[in-house]
Amino acid sequence: MTSPLPFTPDISVKPDVTAFFDPATNTVSYVVRDPASHACAVVDSVMDIDYAAGRITYDHADAIIDHIRKNGLTLEWIIETHVHADHLSAAPYIQQKLGGKLGIGENITIVQDTFGKIFNEGTEFQRDGSQFDRLFKDGDTYTIGTMTAHAMHTPGHTPACMTHVIGDAAFVGDTLFMPDGGSARADFPGGDARILYRSIKRVLSLPPETRLFICHDYGPNGRDIRWETTVAEEREHNIHVRDGISEDEFVKMREARDATLAMPKLIIPSLQVNMRAGRLPPRDESGKTFLKVPVNGL
């Protein structure tokens, strides 16, 4: 059964949303501005990595920082919809430059426990979510200027996935893709196709005109990259979960599809960094930073 919404959406509030697309990882980051003030939030930022060279840079994050500064905005929140497995978060870098609080779903602790073991992080790696400023529970609220944002737990892709609903806009992370892209995979540790279906139906119980902002787009069939749709469009056209597709049909499709998918190219560095809230692993005694590769561990 799909859980009811833990709040009543106020679609009269219409945040200004600016998207930043990262072609290297097909990720879309967002600056969400309160139109009644100068307050804003950043959702799902990206830190650049040349994996083959082991080189970290910040071009994508710098573009976001430049946009916020040029528009005279005040950054109040840096939101991670979940622990991403396909790109590295730039949250601490942006926070250092602009301030703001860093938030993620409370089930980050489950993800930290799971991958802390896989990467053999030892007892010095805290698994209590303390790397973040706020751990959101289902139904929690926070403010961006005059706007009230609602955190809604939408697991299935990962245990910590949250959808953030701000007025008539919802930031769904990897839970949903554009209608012709379907849905996220559910085969990572802690993922579950049946739970994902129920989470998607929860998102799609928002008002039909709610704008949905997607975290990834791959331009299926060669179309231009897109990242904004609506609840109504998803319910009518989503190739995986449109109205009329049952839970059992979805689970059968999702599990069969997931069995054919390769691991994301950046999963190993992404998980080690993102479970630390976007921070690199601590330096060793020589002052160098290393990422681990667990052999046959994923």
Side-chain angles (χ1 to χ4, degrees):
M1 296 293 292
T2 302
S3 300
L5 294 177
F7 58 91
T8 301
D10 182 1
I11 59 172
S12 69
V13 175
K14 301 182 184 301
D16 295 331
V17 180
T18 303
F20 296 80
F21 180 68
D22 176 47
T25 62
N26 289 83
T27 303
V28 191
S29 307
Y30 298 99
V31 174
V32 188
R33 177 183 178 175
D34 173 19
S37 74
H38 293 289
C40 72
V42 169
V43 180
D44 290 334
S45 63
V46 174
M47 177 168 64
D48 307 304
I49 182 171
D50 180 342
Y51 194 22
R55 184 173 297 111
I56 296 291
T57 53
Y58 298 96
D59 291 348
H60 184 84
D62 283 336
I64 292 173
I65 292 167
D66 186 57
H67 172 83
I68 291 172
R69 285 176 170 165
K70 282 185 175 179
N71 287 278
L73 305 181
T74 299
L75 181 60
E76 295 189 346
W77 285 96
I78 306 167
I79 299 298
E80 298 292 336
T81 56
H82 63 293
V83 173
H84 306 273
D86 42 22
H87 72 268
L88 284 68
S89 168
Y93 178 80
I94 294 173
Q95 188 177 46
Q96 182 183 31
K97 300 289 186 180
L98 298 176
K101 294 181 180 179
L102 176 55
I104 198 169
E106 65 174 343
N107 282 354
I108 177 64
T109 57
I110 297 173
V111 177
Q112 288 175 329
D113 186 59
T114 298
F115 290 104
K117 294 173 182 174
I118 289 174
F119 290 104
N120 192 29
E121 293 295 346
T123 56
E124 64 273 14
F125 172 58
Q126 297 299 310
R127 294 161 168 84
D128 58 0
S130 57
Q131 300 88 344
F132 298 84
D133 300 310
R134 175 82 178 270
L135 303 183
F136 296 112
K137 297 182 174 66
D138 186 47
D140 275 357
T141 63
Y142 57 100
T143 58
I144 305 166
T146 67
M147 302 188 299
T148 298
H150 300 268
M152 182 167 64
H153 189 210
T154 48
H157 174 60
T158 80
C161 288
M162 305 288 288
T163 292
H164 291 260
V165 183
I166 309 165
D168 76 335
F171 299 85
V172 300
D174 288 7
T175 298
L176 266 175
F177 294 157
M178 295 298 294
D180 59 347
S183 60
R185 65 195 299 166
D187 61 332
F188 293 151
D192 186 294
R194 195 167 297 277
I195 292 173
L196 177 61
Y197 179 89
R198 295 171 186 175
S199 292
I200 291 172
K201 288 299 182 181
R202 202 178 192 206
V203 172
L204 298 184
S205 69
L206 290 164
E209 60 268 47
T210 303
R211 295 178 290 161
L212 301 181
F213 292 92
I214 310 302
C215 187
H216 294 286
D217 188 66
Y218 301 93
N221 301 312
R223 68 150 167 77
D224 291 340
I225 297 296
R226 294 178 58 212
W227 47 75
E228 180 181 345
T229 181
T230 65
V231 167
E233 289 173 351
E234 293 281 12
R235 291 185 62 170
E236 184 175 359
H237 298 297
N238 188 284
I239 59 174
H240 294 167
V241 288
R242 64 184 177 273
D243 288 354
I245 294 179
S246 71
E247 182 175 310
D248 287 342
E249 288 173 317
F250 174 83
V251 171
K252 182 179 179 180
M253 175 282 303
R254 188 69 265 168
E255 290 181 346
R257 182 174 174 81
D258 288 349
T260 71
L261 298 178
M263 281 290 171
K265 293 179 180 179
L266 295 179
I267 188 170
I268 287 174
S270 295
L271 291 174
Q272 290 175 79
V273 168
N274 295 340
M275 69 182 183
R276 291 180 164 88
R279 297 173 181 86
L280 294 169
R283 299 176 186 271
D284 69 1
E285 59 276 5
S286 70
K288 296 179 179 179
T289 300
F290 293 90
L291 293 164
K292 301 175 182 177
V293 177
V295 178
N296 297 326
L298 290 173

